[in-house]
Amino acid sequence: MSYNKKLTIGLACASALGFGVAAWAGPDEDNLVINGEIEIVTEAAAPEHMEYVDTIYSGWRFRSDETQAVQADDFDNPSMIFVETAMEVWDTVEGTEGKSCSSCHNDVESLRGVRAVYPKWNEKAGEVRTLEHQINDCRENQMGAEKWKYTGGDMVNMVSLISMVSRGMPMNVAIDGPAQSTWEQGKELYYTRFGQLELSCANCHEDNYGNMIRADHLSQGQINGFPTYRLKNTKLNSVHARFKGCVRDTRAHTFKPGGPEFTALELYVASRGNGLSVEGPSVRN
Amino acid sequence: MALTRRNMIVLSSAALAATGLGAMPAFASLAEDEIAKLTGGADVGSGELSLTAPEIAENGNTVPIEVSAPGAVMVALFADGNPTPAVATIKFGKLNPTHVASTRIRLAKTQNVIAVAQMEDGSFQRAQAEVKVTIGGCGG
Amino acid sequence: MASGVKPRVKVPKSAAAGETITIKTLISHKMESGQRKDDDGNPIPRSIINRFTCDFNGENVIDITLEPAISTNPYFQFDSVVPESGEFTFTWYDDDGSVYEEKKAIEVS
């Protein structure tokens, strides 16, 4: 099995790079309106800092009509089961301080807009932090509760809930000021080839988006839709879990979810989506 | 998703690699056996029964299908390339006016999804749709 | 009871007498097919929702037998007529003997 698996991954990448151009299909022309009311911007002019791409597209535009339809209605979107679980957790007191999320933040709607600006510079900590870092900071220091596993179920459910209340707002992470050096680091990672297959993020998601990588329609690798419910593993997937999967598939030692490399990469990749709507929790293949 | 001929060649070679030998075990007869058991060997016609499924599934783990069976009391669904072909059996109650149902199913590989409906008069109808199950890219 | 099983149903709050309405249901369940093996190569036993029913005021709308080929987090969409005000009862039956029930009232004018 492992031999065959490697062989097929090798084939996949060879076919993407070798035959990609023949299969150009680009993003489709569909519009996404969730529940008939939340309009989602899935196409926008690329932010100024992007040198090689003129137009940015949500990954939703690269999926089949059937997959797209699942995200257009919150009942059809299986993510929402997990969001409902997170809503209960939101009000559940945990830890030594006798607090729940709602003790400080009241209704989760009060966090509308938060997802759109993360990862974000944290002045007190003197570092760029992801939403997951911030949630664990709250748990540890405000609630006196145990930290959640960075890519674990509790965490990805909560990130999905916080993301959901920002749906439709434009992604707008800051890349200047104190965040700039982290952003530069992320950019460096994005263009660095990793692994035995010597692939960078850009090789697939900048040079070849719209092409087929074996049977899969390559997107721009935007993360405005995260967390995302994947039909493949039928659960919510976090940004760093996805990064890890990508790096592993280049046959490289991957970085640690929640670590400084992926945090920098997340800031950079998020900034490539500035202007697209927050979409998570989305549905992908 | 546009599949060019060249792409299909790549696809099928990938499929060969994935199965190791490229041998397609003949599970199709298993499904036909079950259908024969269900109908008791009676003639199976076609009619208003219809089955809607994507031509190409982005992932075989979650494939949306819809069956429409006006005049049927029961519809059995089969997937002839799965290790066990039975998928679901739907009985429509008195309050069900349309006899339409949708669900999401697992398909192990490219295969036929088959619906067999038993009508109010005891006769049977059949409809089927081929779904191509693609193997993802790097997939993660 | 299998852990983390959570049903969701979507039924309109009101309808006209005799109107046909569309119902959607989803339940979080891993639907372990019995076909998979664990890391040591031992088969993971089947554990699925094997039956789903929907009734309105005691009258059946749909009765479905599920096999392992139904995807994780089983989803169904179907129609019902609503002759009068009343209550829908949705019932899911787990291989482990658990039964999950959800009710939704509808106002018919």
Side-chain angles (χ1 to χ4, degrees), chain A residues 203-220:
Chain A
N203 289 145
C204 288
H205 297 292
E206 184 167 278
D207 304 341
N208 277 297
Y209 70 84
N211 294 336
M212 304 299 288
I213 184 160
R214 200 160 58 169
D216 201 353
H217 196 194
L218 268 175
S219 73
Q220 287 184 340

Side-chain angles (χ1 to χ4, degrees), chain B residues 37-59:
Chain B
K37 222 188 300 171
L38 180 74
T39 60
D43 283 347
V44 179
S46 58
E48 283 190 83
L49 174 68
S50 73
L51 182 67
T52 311
E55 215 174 305
I56 298 168
E58 272 195 304
N59 194 291

Side-chain angles (χ1 to χ4, degrees), chain A residues 4 8 11 13 15 19 22-23 63-64 66-67 70 76 78 212-216 230-232 234 242 245 248-249 285, chain B residues 1-4 6-7 10-11 13-14 17-20 54 56 58-59 61-62 64 104 134-140:
Chain A
N4 277 336
T8 50
L11 257 175
C13 296
S15 64
F19 302 131
R63 304 279 52 92
S64 73
E66 290 85 9
T67 308
V70 180
D76 291 347
M212 304 299 288
I213 184 160
R214 200 160 58 169
D216 201 353
R230 293 190 62 194
L231 303 182
K232 172 192 164 128
T234 57
R242 177 68 261 199
R248 185 201 58 212
D249 288 346
N285 57 322
Chain B
M1 161 155 43
L3 277 174
T4 61
R6 248 162 142 191
N7 238 18
V10 174
L11 244 181
S13 54
T19 54
I56 298 168
E58 272 195 304
N59 194 291
N61 244 344
T62 314
R104 298 166 183 163
T134 58
I135 300 165
C138 280

Side-chain angles (χ1 to χ4, degrees), chain A residues 174-233:
Chain A
I175 63 174
D176 51 1
Q180 193 181 344
S181 64
T182 307
W183 180 81
E184 299 281 359
Q185 233 177 349
K187 184 175 181 182
E188 172 88 29
L189 281 164
Y190 189 87
Y191 287 101
T192 303
R193 289 172 181 265
F194 288 102
Q196 291 179 316
L197 297 178
E198 296 188 41
L199 290 168
S200 71
C201 305
N203 289 145
C204 288
H205 297 292
E206 184 167 278
D207 304 341
N208 277 297
Y209 70 84
N211 294 336
M212 304 299 288
I213 184 160
R214 200 160 58 169
D216 201 353
H217 196 194
L218 268 175
S219 73
Q220 287 184 340
Q222 295 286 358
I223 57 174
N224 59 305
F226 276 80
T228 188
Y229 182 91
R230 293 190 62 194
L231 303 182
K232 172 192 164 128
N233 59 14

Side-chain angles (χ1 to χ4, degrees), chain C residues 6 8 18-19 42-43 49 54 63 72 77 95 99 102 109:
Chain C
K6 214 171 145 66
R8 291 183 88 206
E19 190 184 336
N42 304 314
I49 300 273
C54 169
D63 184 341
T72 308
Q77 182 182 325
D95 270 354
V99 175
E102 184 84 2
S109 50

Side-chain angles (χ1 to χ4, degrees), chain A residues 2-60:
Chain A
S2 63
Y3 172 74
N4 277 336
K5 204 170 165 188
K6 277 179 189 159
L7 186 62
T8 50
I9 290 168
L11 257 175
C13 296
S15 64
L17 301 175
F19 302 131
V21 180
W24 166 265
D28 68 13
E29 294 299 318
D30 296 341
N31 287 319
L32 175 57
V33 181
I34 297 172
N35 301 333
E37 59 182 33
I38 308 172
E39 290 192 22
I40 300 290
V41 173
T42 58
E43 175 176 345
E48 248 170 53
H49 68 78
M50 284 170 75
E51 296 159 66
Y52 309 109
V53 175
D54 295 329
T55 310
I56 53 174
Y57 302 98
S58 159
W60 185 84

